[in-house]
Amino acid sequence: MQTLLVRLPMAYFMSIQPNASLTMIGLAAPTSTAVGIVLNICFYFERTSRSDS
């Protein structure tokens, strides 16, 4: 999910910038991973709080 929603659009957006570099395009992968971690943590806390009620 992160690949389609974060990595590909970010890599494309970075590639069309006037001063595009491989470093900027390459930042899409760790950004996608960070978004995935945040989503998983949010999902975990949402599920655990729902099951406690």
Side-chain angles (χ1 to χ4, degrees):
M1 182 159 113
Q2 299 95 311
T3 300
L4 293 175
L5 297 178
V6 178
R7 184 183 291 179
L8 293 177
M10 186 173 174
Y12 174 73
F13 178 75
M14 292 299 187
S15 71
I16 61 173
Q17 297 303 309
N19 296 330
S21 68
L22 287 177
T23 302
M24 296 302 291
I25 296 169
L27 285 176
T31 303
S32 174
T33 302
V35 168
I37 290 169
V38 169
L39 286 175
N40 285 319
I41 290 171
C42 291
F43 180 74
Y44 172 77
F45 284 123
E46 189 264 331
R47 294 289 291 183
T48 56
S49 67
R50 187 185 306 170
S51 64
D52 290 341
S53 301

